Amino acid sequence: MASTDTTRPDPAGPAPAGQDLAGLEAGLDALGSTGPAGAPLRRTLVDKVLPPAIAVVLVLVVWELLVVAHVAPSYKLPSPGAVWGEVTDAWEQGTLLGYIWTSVERGLLGFLLALVIGTPLGLVVARVRPVRAAVGPILSGLQSLPSVAWVPPAVIWLGLDDRMMYAVILLGAVPSIANGLVSGVDQVPPLYLRAGRTLGATGLRGTWHIVLPAALPGYLAGLKQGWAFSWRSLMAAEIIASSPDLGIGLGQLLENGRTNSSMSMVFLAIFLILIVGIAVDLLVFSPLERWVLRSRGLAVKG
């Protein structure tokens, strides 16, 4: 009696290895996703908008309670209504957006200049040992030096103009960007470099295709810190250096409030400085961080 073979070969033949890997990757992506690709508007509002809104409301309530309880004189602790009055007055006079834009323009341009200088400097320090031995400690020392210390020499060297502002920003931001990239390069697995050399990615090609993508998380952290140093350096320069040619930025607005003994103006300047910092983080660095995490499988979509 002839035996029947139940294990017949697939007429189409075995699936290619590429298709198997693609299917496996799609399955892992499906398991990793926590919900539909397009999150509902209600979920976005609840997860992203509602918590900070509640926090702001709580701060305003506590602030108003402190004012009502007279824990400090009104000239020391103005009410939220008094600060809002400063906002409306500046808006009606057409100066509110000018205060913001004067500082934001300087901060962004100074940060871009620091990015152009700090990135190649960080690569050279990270990849060339003699340069690292000579320049690395100096960068670390400059990063720990308060930015306000550069304002007096910058005023003496360059005068009271925008060049002084940008010099202070660069001296505060470039070391942070360069050190962030150095830290990122140090964390690149040596296996990546050997694999790149095997595939012919050497020199600038290896730096562009292997080193920079692998060092991106540390580099992004350096960029975020570099922006923070840029913004703080600019505020310090605007507070100390005063000139009609420089215009009135947020730092100068803060100093004007102190000079005029107007705590409501001081609070207005502080809030505007804080809002700009939060906006840049939410609109620029947070999306970049999410993209980097997702590209490395460290965060799920949803």
Side-chain angles (χ1 to χ4, degrees):
M1 186 175 188
S3 61
T4 304
D5 188 5
T6 59
T7 59
R8 297 180 179 178
D10 188 357
Q19 294 181 4
D20 291 342
L21 292 176
L24 178 60
E25 182 179 358
L28 291 176
D29 289 340
L31 290 174
S33 61
T34 58
L41 178 61
R42 180 179 178 182
R43 178 182 173 185
T44 302
L45 291 175
V46 171
D47 294 344
K48 301 297 179 65
V49 178
L50 189 59
I54 293 176
V56 171
V57 171
L58 289 177
V59 169
L60 292 176
V61 170
V62 173
W63 183 3
E64 186 65 31
L65 290 176
L66 293 175
V67 172
V68 172
H70 299 288
V71 297
S74 59
Y75 68 90
K76 290 185 178 180
L77 182 63
S79 65
V83 178
W84 181 251
E86 289 285 345
V87 176
T88 56
D89 290 343
W91 177 263
E92 292 173 356
Q93 296 171 8
T95 57
L96 182 62
L97 296 181
Y99 297 150
I100 299 173
W101 178 245
T102 298
S103 294
V104 170
E105 182 183 21
R106 287 173 180 159
L108 291 178
L109 182 56
F111 175 72
L112 291 177
L113 291 174
L115 179 65
V116 172
I117 297 174
T119 299
L121 177 61
L123 282 174
V124 173
V125 172
R127 303 290 288 172
V128 182
R129 290 186 178 180
V131 175
R132 181 167 190 164
V135 180
I138 298 177
L139 288 177
S140 299
L142 290 175
Q143 188 174 0
S144 63
L145 183 67
S147 303
V148 68
W150 291 113
V151 178
V155 171
I156 295 174
W157 292 336
L158 302 174
L160 289 172
D161 55 22
D162 284 335
R163 294 180 303 165
M164 178 272 298
M165 297 285 185
Y166 294 131
V168 174
I169 293 174
L170 291 177
L171 290 169
V174 168
S176 296
I177 296 175
N179 281 330
L181 184 53
V182 171
S183 177
V185 172
D186 288 344
Q187 298 176 20
V188 176
L191 181 61
Y192 289 4
L193 303 178
R194 291 196 296 268
R197 286 194 295 267
T198 301
L199 297 174
T202 58
L204 293 178
R205 183 180 299 177
T207 300
W208 180 255
H209 293 286
I210 304 296
V211 176
L212 281 179
L216 191 56
Y219 181 45
L220 183 58
L223 292 181
K224 190 173 182 178
Q225 191 177 44
W227 162 252
F229 273 83
S230 297
W231 191 236
R232 286 185 289 181
S233 301
L234 176 61
M235 292 302 103
E238 287 185 350
I239 290 172
I240 296 176
S242 176
S243 172
D245 296 334
L246 293 174
I248 301 179
L250 297 180
Q252 186 59 49
L253 178 66
L254 182 64
E255 178 62 15
N256 289 345
R258 184 198 67 82
T259 303
N260 298 326
S261 298
S262 174
M263 280 302 297
S264 57
M265 184 181 295
V266 170
F267 272 63
L268 171 61
I270 292 174
F271 289 146
L272 291 178
I273 294 170
L274 182 63
I275 289 172
V276 171
I278 294 174
V280 171
D281 182 74
L282 292 179
L283 297 177
V284 179
F285 292 107
S286 291
L288 285 176
E289 288 177 341
R290 289 195 297 269
W291 174 76
V292 170
L293 291 175
R294 287 173 180 173
S295 65
R296 283 159 171 73
L298 300 177
V300 296
K301 298 180 180 180

